[in-house]
Amino acid sequence: MSGSNTNELLRAALNAGRVPSSSGRSTSGNRSSRKATPKSPRSVAASRDVSDNEEDFDDAASMASDDTWVINETSEETAEDVAMENTDNWQDTLQSALDTLGEKRVGTRERGLATVAQVMAHVYVGEAMEGRRLASLEALKKCAKTAKSQIEGMLALRGIALWFINFGVDASANEYTEVKVFLKTLARDKHLSPHVRVMALAALGVASFVSGADYNDAAEVLKFVGDWFIHPDAPRAEDDDDAFEQEESEEEEEEELEPAPAAVMRQALETYGLLMTVVVDANARVAEKMFDRAFDAHLEALAADSIEVRLAAAQNFALMHSELSRQENGRFEFDRQDELVGTLSAIKHQSSKRHGRRDTHAQRSAVRGVLQTIENGEAPELKLAFRGRSVSFADWPRILRLHAFRAVLGGGINRQFVDNPLLGQVFEVVFDTGADDMGSSEARMVVSPNSTLAKARAVNMRKKREARHSSRTLENDDSD
């Protein structure tokens, strides 16, 4: 396989939510024109540029700050992105690509997987491809299980995450459970490359977020991530069974736990934050209890060499503080809040030649946003702008959810926001689709989280989760 083809497949596997910069790292978005700063912090994404050097994962990684940041998706679109959105024969393209996943040549499967990921990221296929829903999932799982190259494994895992974004709302209990167990196994496998384990954790988070029956499912995966990656040395609680069922086998308990590589740790923290947005909204007591166990590990992560690890941990602190304050209708405080604030303040003023000016600036801006939340109760605002449309995110749950979905969808997030009903439910937004022209400056939307529409969408999302929970209960009763 030629070097150019390999690089294209790596980009497809790692995605897409960022564009490689001249330094070999990647950038995401443009700073608001109100500031003169030419470059912006970048999103914490499940994808990273591939390198044999683990230090390449330590780049700056937040889209949030104490100012308004504008993430301009249109400026990052590739020619392939535009072509995919404008094509009329995407079903034939996707069908042909899926047919290649059973081929013997690994290069053929890799190219097929790259095409599958490209189509499923840029087009909402959930309705039109319903007839191939199960077959496509099985093909992706098989490629991930029997992957003969790192690229194949990563592409297949990204494909699984995209499958849940397109089809996951209607996934059965068995479909979700089988994938969940499989992804856990890959994420734990220290013999796999960090890149594959990162994608497994990212897919696990998206699958649980979309297809979990209720917050107990999210809490179960959240506990797995905490026990195996974030605080593996902490004693495992015996009294958490009231929150969710324990699923770890005796063999898992006996397996030796080791500190995770920086990239895996960063993704574990992000997956933890994504699923915590579900748990804390449904049961603040359980969420606070779980985070208490992870508090020390998050505090230690603030001292990590990797800026990405620091910022992922910092944003989880901001999420918990903001949501527990909202649940209590007052100002929540951590037991060791003074220590936390002192640590964050030290990071904000930290200078590091190793990370460079841009990454250090990104760290300061992001930590300012976290401190603003913890000290003043104010969340940063983030705007996602594309083709005349604008989506505002002014609270930490939506910001962390955007991180996760944008990491998987990359340049396809703009089309998915318009066409995929899941994103409307997750982010509680709706577009004015009266204007057919995607470039129309009038085709804008901003829906307040407190609006009637937003509340209706939140209720609808909860009803779907409750329906899945009822279905799962009936399946269990039938099996008995």
Side-chain angles (χ1 to χ4, degrees):
M1 184 182 299
S2 68
S4 60
N5 286 338
T6 301
N7 289 336
E8 290 175 1
L9 289 171
L10 285 172
R11 184 177 67 179
L14 289 173
N15 192 18
R18 351 169 134 195
V19 178
S21 68
S22 59
S23 65
R25 304 190 182 225
S26 52
T27 58
S28 172
N30 299 313
R31 186 76 185 266
S32 169
S33 59
R34 293 186 294 109
K35 298 284 186 176
T37 308
K39 295 183 180 180
S40 74
R42 292 163 292 156
S43 68
V44 180
S47 54
R48 293 294 179 267
D49 295 329
V50 169
S51 169
D52 293 331
N53 187 346
E54 185 66 26
E55 292 182 358
D56 282 0
F57 286 104
D58 294 348
D59 53 343
S62 176
M63 293 189 292
S65 80
D66 54 342
D67 297 312
T68 297
W69 290 87
V70 176
I71 309 301
N72 192 334
E73 287 294 332
T74 306
S75 66
E76 297 180 2
E77 287 182 335
T78 65
E80 292 83 357
D81 292 337
V82 176
M84 183 54 62
E85 290 186 14
N86 295 327
T87 186
D88 293 327
N89 65 338
W90 64 264
Q91 292 187 52
D92 294 337
T93 301
L94 180 57
Q95 180 78 38
S96 297
L98 287 169
D99 290 341
T100 68
L101 301 191
E103 296 290 333
K104 292 183 178 181
R105 292 178 62 88
V106 63
T108 302
R109 295 198 303 273
E110 288 174 351
R111 289 188 291 274
L113 286 166
T115 300
V116 169
Q118 186 182 38
V119 175
M120 292 181 71
H122 290 82
V123 181
Y124 170 54
V125 306
E127 295 178 2
M129 296 294 290
E130 176 64 26
R132 290 215 60 177
R133 184 175 71 88
L134 293 180
S136 60
L137 178 60
E138 290 303 315
L140 291 166
K141 286 165 56 179
K142 182 177 180 180
C143 285
K145 288 179 180 178
T146 62
K148 300 301 182 183
S149 71
Q150 175 178 272
I151 296 176
E152 182 181 10
M154 294 163 63
L155 284 167
L157 289 168
R158 185 187 172 205
I160 290 173
L162 288 166
W163 186 93
F164 276 93
I165 291 176
N166 281 275
F167 297 109
V169 170
D170 298 319
S172 70
N174 287 337
E175 291 164 2
Y176 164 65
T177 300
E178 288 178 5
V179 172
K180 178 182 68 173
V181 172
F182 165 59
L183 293 175
K184 284 182 176 182
T185 300
L186 290 184
R188 283 196 307 265
D189 191 346
K190 58 181 179 292
H191 301 296
L192 294 175
S193 76
H195 316 295
V196 173
R197 298 175 70 191
V198 162
M199 295 303 292
L201 279 169
L204 177 62
V206 170
S208 178
F209 182 86
V210 175
S211 299
D214 57 21
Y215 83 92
N216 292 307
D217 276 336
E220 184 270 314
V221 176
L222 193 151
K223 180 179 184 298
F224 161 80
V225 173
D227 285 347
W228 285 91
F229 301 98
I230 297 177
H231 48 80
D233 297 328
R236 302 196 180 187
E238 298 290 341
D239 56 349
D240 284 344
D241 292 339
D242 60 334
F244 50 85
E245 294 182 0
Q246 305 287 344
E247 292 189 356
E248 294 160 346
S249 67
E250 293 181 2
E251 292 181 359
E252 290 174 343
E253 293 286 353
E254 294 173 358
E255 184 175 332
E256 182 180 357
L257 301 178
E258 297 179 357
V264 177
M265 180 63 169
R266 183 264 311 157
Q267 183 58 54
L269 288 165
E270 290 181 9
T271 297
Y272 187 98
L274 171 66
L275 298 180
M276 185 58 83
T277 67
V278 176
V279 179
V280 74
D281 181 60
N283 193 322
R285 182 189 66 82
V286 169
E288 184 176 1
K289 184 177 180 180
M290 296 186 76
F291 194 73
D292 282 345
R293 293 187 61 219
F295 186 96
D296 288 346
H298 274 75
L299 203 59
E300 290 177 8
L302 294 178
D305 289 337
S306 166
I307 286 181
E308 289 191 315
V309 170
R310 296 180 202 169
L311 299 188
Q315 293 179 10
N316 284 352
F317 277 119
L319 168 71
M320 294 305 297
H321 190 279
S322 65
E323 290 306 286
L324 291 176
S325 293
R326 180 180 63 84
Q327 297 270 0
E328 295 181 0
N329 295 318
R331 288 291 303 281
F332 171 83
E333 286 197 2
F334 296 111
D335 290 340
R336 296 159 60 189
Q337 181 143 317
D338 290 343
E339 179 182 357
L340 172 60
V341 170
T343 301
L344 290 170
S345 297
I347 293 175
K348 185 180 71 171
H349 296 101
Q350 191 176 62
S351 176
S352 172
K353 293 182 179 179
R354 177 172 179 267
H355 296 294
R357 289 184 60 188
R358 183 185 62 185
D359 292 348
T360 302
H361 173 75
Q363 176 177 254
R364 289 175 182 172
S365 297
V367 172
R368 270 202 307 270
V370 173
L371 281 170
Q372 182 177 334
T373 296
I374 294 176
E375 293 183 313
N376 304 320
E378 300 176 3
E381 181 181 10
L382 184 150
K383 287 186 179 180
L384 184 70
F386 45 86
R387 300 192 184 186
R389 289 168 163 84
S390 175
V391 188
S392 293
F393 305 86
D395 61 74
W396 283 104
R398 288 178 181 80
I399 289 173
L400 296 191
R401 291 172 182 179
L402 177 64
H403 285 338
F405 278 82
R406 188 168 180 262
V408 175
L409 292 168
I413 195 170
N414 52 9
R415 191 71 254 178
Q416 294 278 353
F417 253 115
V418 176
D419 295 336
N420 191 334
L422 171 67
L423 271 70
Q425 295 164 7
V426 169
F427 295 101
E428 301 173 5
V429 298
V430 66
F431 281 98
D432 173 13
T433 56
D436 293 332
D437 181 11
M438 283 288 288
S440 172
S441 60
E442 297 179 357
R444 297 178 63 85
M445 83 83 223
V446 174
V447 174
S448 166
N450 295 320
S451 70
T452 302
L453 175 60
K455 291 177 180 178
R457 288 186 175 274
V459 169
N460 186 39
M461 191 70 172
R462 282 194 291 270
K463 286 182 177 179
K464 284 181 177 290
R465 288 185 180 275
E466 290 169 0
R468 288 198 298 272
H469 178 65
S470 298
S471 175
R472 184 168 304 180
T473 301
L474 290 173
E475 289 181 12
N476 292 334
D477 290 343
D478 292 340
S479 64
D480 293 339

